[in-house]
Amino acid sequence: MPHDQPASAPGPAPADASDHDPAEAPFLGLLATGAAAEEYERPVLRARAGGAAAARLAALERAKLLALRVRTELEDRRRREAELSALYATAHDLAGLRDLDAVLRAIVRRARSLLGTEVAYLTLNDPAAGDTYMRVTDGSVSARFQQLRLAMGEGLGGLVAQTARPYVTDSYFHDERFRHTRTIDSGVRDEGLVAILGVPLLLGSGVIGVLFAADRRERVFEPGQVALLAAHAAHAAVAIDTANLLAETRKTLTELEAANEIIRDRSSVIERASDVHDRLTELVLRGGGVQDVADAVAEVLDGDVEFTEPGRAPAAALDRSRAGGHAVRDGAEWVAAVRAGGEVLGALVLRGHPALDPVDQRTLERAAMVTSLLLLARRTAGEAEQRVRGELLDDLLDAAARDPRLLRERAARVGADLDAPHVVLAARMSGAPISDGDGPPRPDGTDRRRLWSAASHLAATRHGLAAVRDGGAVLLLPLEPDGDPAHTAREIAARLGTALHVPVTVGASAPVPAPAARPAAVADAYAEARRCREALCALGRAGQGAAAADFGFLGLLLADTRDVDGFVHRTLGAVADYDARRGTELLRTLGAYFACGMSPARTKDELHVHVNTVAQRLERVGRLLGPDWQTPARALEIQLALRLHQLSAAVTRETEE
């Protein structure tokens, strides 16, 4: 060792052990002990006083800020936990109260406690007067304030009651968001209130009152406090409703006790009422109908009960029953209106029982209520099914590219089989205008709905589809293997006309073999059915039904299929079959007869036969074709059919050669 160097040279000063600790370490202890916010500055101050490096100080600053954020979050959670605990305790306390006044006082007192305000109060709505009035206060000193009434929309409370939304003001008299009135402002000024928070007491979708918390100085109510009072108000509304129900129950029990002796004497009546209740419940559960309800009530009441449509029931008695909501006596009969809301669906009429005690009267009224439910359920289900059927038919008519598999699935849900042959029918009420393609159809909406309803019902009973279109109705009905579209059209026209009490014109298409496989064929068939329908109207046959086959040669123009062979067979089939069976020449004779100007003398020269032979053959033709075969219209059809038959035969010979 060189002797000019000390034996031991002093090294650098030892670092503070805390310099090597994580920066978060000193703050974890503060968090654990719940130290005050100012305590979080001390670790930084100590490090700075001890000459800690800048990096250490920066790390401590970051750790301090993070710890303060955690502390704030913990405090918020503890505060929310305390609020929730208070709400839970409030709900528990309210659930144990039974008297309405005690419930209201507890609500207001707890609201004041939850928000730490000087005053809390509660107003309730008065449906009869159409306003809201002061019901309970806590901390109030003004008699005028305690007797306030607020019209809907007036003052902060009236605005809350009207809009069903919380409102808060830091300074009531400087807030112009709500309508100030002299009466309300005087009451608030007497009480000395400045900051007010009001939340609605909601029961279902309706407001039954308003709960307030207020201070006599300016104060900002935080969103959390608004939410806290709103949650308390929700519990309070349920408690008020429960107390009201209990009060009503007590009142009912008192009344029942007073009537106990009468009930004992009328045990047989009660048993009948119980029996009808059980039977009506059973009927509803097993899907019974209106007549089942009438039969059950008739048996229990020992009379004759009939459900009648509104137009057939005694009008005056029906009006009285509807207005009063009870069964009424009409001579020797009792009438109970079957209604849903403001709509009268009919009436239950009890005959053979001129005197009804209150229990039996209530039994009839209950039966009317059950009947209305059954009718509404049936109507709702029917309308839903009608819409589904109509939408499916609309898709068949408008969207030819629909997936056949999906069409079959949708049809199966309504009991239709789109793989079976169907016929398309176009129906229109007599005198109803049709759409010209440039705008919506113009017939009266009520007529359209009546026609659609009748057509939909008819389609449902036949496992078909129906929709409204072009000012009329279109039906897609299954066709039996030997079914005739023309016969179907006449039948549907008659049934719709009977149902609607007006003539209905119906045109039918040729059979559509499988609508699901070829949706485009449905639209073509509908166009053909419409042409047939309009042809009927043009020919003065409105109110009837027909298919293209009913129009003779005109049907060739109306039909999309251009069924020439079918037309020839319908016109001359009987004659052609006779020739085939007997080896006669009736068709040849018929052709020569028309070619010779319907002159038997010239015809016998053309055929080289005796004139008597021509006469005998024409007589046979008349028996086969009918006595009117020589009228101008029939003669024209027969000549056209003969010409088409000759052309077809010539084409066949050329093909064979």
Side-chain angles (χ1 to χ4, degrees):
M1 174 184 300
H3 57 125
D4 60 346
Q5 185 172 349
S8 60
D16 189 342
S18 64
D19 288 346
H20 302 289
D21 293 339
E24 295 83 357
F27 300 105
L28 292 175
L30 295 173
L31 287 171
T33 59
E38 56 269 16
E39 294 293 330
Y40 288 75
E41 289 292 340
R42 292 186 179 180
V44 181
L45 294 174
R46 283 197 299 268
R48 188 176 288 116
R56 174 68 176 176
L57 292 174
L60 286 171
E61 282 289 346
R62 288 193 299 272
K64 179 194 73 174
L65 294 176
L66 181 61
L68 286 172
R69 286 172 56 190
V70 172
R71 179 181 181 277
T72 301
E73 180 67 22
L74 289 174
E75 286 184 347
D76 287 344
R77 292 190 179 187
R78 281 193 292 268
R79 178 179 53 78
R80 286 196 294 270
E81 182 179 352
E83 291 174 350
L84 290 174
S85 297
L87 274 179
Y88 177 79
T90 299
H92 183 270
D93 292 345
L94 292 177
L97 297 175
R98 295 294 181 264
D99 179 67
L100 179 60
D101 289 335
V103 168
L104 296 177
R105 288 193 297 270
I107 289 169
V108 173
R109 187 166 54 250
R110 188 57 66 96
R112 182 183 178 191
S113 173
L114 285 173
L115 270 69
T117 56
E118 296 173 282
V119 181
Y121 51 99
L122 181 146
T123 63
L124 291 179
N125 288 1
D126 186 345
D131 61 6
T132 181
Y133 64 96
M134 193 71 69
R135 182 66 169 81
V136 179
T137 64
D138 190 65
S140 171
V141 296
S142 167
R144 178 187 297 183
F145 180 77
Q146 295 169 14
Q147 297 173 4
L148 277 179
R149 296 189 76 96
L150 298 79
M152 293 296 178
E154 292 183 353
L156 185 143
L159 191 59
V160 175
Q162 183 182 54
T163 63
R165 295 175 54 190
Y167 276 85
V168 60
T169 178
D170 303 337
S171 179
Y172 177 85
F173 291 101
H174 296 93
D175 198 330
E176 300 299 329
R177 290 178 302 162
F178 40 83
R179 190 162 79 245
H180 291 265
T181 66
R182 179 179 300 177
T183 302
I184 298 173
D185 286 358
S186 297
V188 174
R189 188 175 288 109
D190 278 2
E191 192 61 57
L193 301 181
V194 177
I196 304 174
L197 165 61
V199 297
L201 292 166
L202 293 170
L203 195 59
S205 59
V207 178
I208 62 171
V210 182
L211 179 61
F212 300 87
D215 268 345
R216 296 185 175 92
R217 55 183 173 79
E218 289 193 9
R219 168 180 175 174
V220 176
F221 289 98
E222 301 295 337
Q225 294 174 318
V226 177
L228 179 62
L229 190 61
H232 178 53
H235 290 304
V238 174
I240 291 172
D241 186 49
T242 301
N244 283 328
L245 290 175
L246 287 172
E248 293 177 3
T249 302
R250 291 192 192 96
K251 180 181 177 182
T252 302
L253 288 174
T254 301
E255 294 173 351
L256 288 175
E257 289 174 359
N260 189 42
E261 291 301 323
I262 299 175
I263 292 175
R264 289 197 186 101
D265 295 338
R266 307 297 301 276
S267 60
S268 60
V269 177
I270 299 298
E271 289 176 3
R272 290 203 307 272
S274 176
D275 178 54
V276 75
H277 179 270
D278 293 341
R279 296 185 62 175
L280 292 178
T281 302
E282 181 184 357
L283 282 175
V284 172
L285 292 177
R286 64 180 174 86
V290 172
Q291 189 56 47
D292 296 325
V293 173
D295 292 342
V297 177
E299 184 178 344
V300 171
L301 297 183
D302 192 22
D304 179 26
V305 178
E306 178 189 6
F307 172 76
T308 62
E309 300 292 337
R312 297 177 54 199
L318 184 60
D319 288 342
R320 285 189 289 123
S321 177
R322 178 190 57 80
H326 298 288
V328 298
R329 185 171 178 175
D330 182 51
E333 299 176 347
W334 284 85
V335 177
V338 176
R339 58 194 178 93
E343 180 183 5
V344 177
L345 306 176
L348 286 183
V349 180
L350 172 64
R351 301 181 179 91
H353 211 311
L356 274 186
D357 55 52
V359 175
D360 285 346
Q361 182 179 343
R362 179 58 183 157
T363 296
L364 184 61
E365 294 165 0
R366 182 177 300 171
M369 184 183 303
V370 172
T371 302
S372 69
L373 293 175
L374 291 175
L375 291 174
L376 286 177
R378 186 171 65 186
R379 175 192 292 181
T380 302
E383 290 176 350
E385 182 175 336
Q386 287 175 357
R387 284 194 296 271
V388 171
R389 291 178 184 274
E391 290 168 359
L392 177 54
L393 183 51
D394 284 336
D395 284 348
L396 285 168
L397 291 169
D398 298 331
R402 290 281 182 180
D403 184 353
R405 180 180 58 82
L406 295 178
L407 291 174
R408 292 186 182 95
E409 290 178 358
R410 292 170 61 188
R413 296 191 191 106
V414 293
D417 179 11
L418 294 185
D419 287 319
H422 282 66
V423 61
V424 177
L425 301 119
R428 182 162 62 91
M429 297 171 68
S430 179
I434 61 173
S435 172
D436 55 9
D438 296 328
R442 300 181 301 279
D444 179 73
T446 302
D447 288 343
R448 284 201 306 271
R449 286 192 296 272
R450 291 175 59 216
L451 178 59
W452 175 67
S453 178
S456 297
H457 175 72
L458 196 56
T461 60
R462 292 177 173 237
H463 304 289
L465 308 175
V468 172
R469 183 166 288 240
D470 303 319
V474 53
L475 298 91
L476 180 67
L477 301 182
L479 193 64
E480 296 296 329
D482 56 347
D484 178 16
H487 174 76
T488 303
R490 289 190 289 272
E491 180 188 358
I492 297 303
R495 295 191 61 175
L496 289 178
T498 301
L500 300 174
H501 304 292
V502 294
V504 177
T505 308
V506 178
S509 71
V512 181
R518 293 182 58 246
V522 179
D524 295 338
Y526 173 56
E528 177 182 337
R530 284 186 66 194
R531 289 194 293 270
C532 291
R533 182 189 67 190
E534 300 315 313
L536 283 171
C537 295
L539 295 172
R541 295 170 58 186
Q544 300 180 22
D550 293 322
F551 295 97
F553 71 91
L554 181 59
L556 294 177
L557 304 176
L558 297 175
D560 282 326
T561 56
R562 303 294 189 266
D563 184 13
V564 174
D565 291 340
F567 169 70
V568 172
H569 181 74
R570 287 191 299 272
T571 307
L572 298 175
V575 178
D577 292 343
Y578 189 88
D579 279 349
R581 291 194 309 270
R582 302 294 182 90
T584 55
E585 294 185 340
L586 296 182
L587 280 180
R588 180 167 173 260
T589 302
L590 197 56
Y593 177 68
F594 284 117
C596 294
M598 301 177 71
S599 169
R602 289 198 294 272
T603 303
K604 62 99 174 171
D605 294 336
E606 176 72 20
L607 297 176
H608 305 290
V609 297
H610 195 275
V611 68
N612 291 338
T613 302
V614 172
Q616 291 171 359
R617 291 179 180 179
L618 293 179
E619 182 183 359
R620 174 64 63 183
V621 167
R623 287 199 295 268
L624 292 172
L625 296 182
D628 64 338
W629 70 278
Q630 295 191 74
T631 60
R634 285 292 307 280
L636 179 60
E637 288 188 3
I638 293 170
Q639 292 178 69
L640 179 59
L642 283 169
R643 182 60 59 87
L644 293 172
H645 177 69
Q646 293 166 0
L647 291 174
S648 176
V651 170
T652 301
R653 286 194 300 271
E654 290 177 2
T655 303
E656 291 175 350
E657 293 174 356

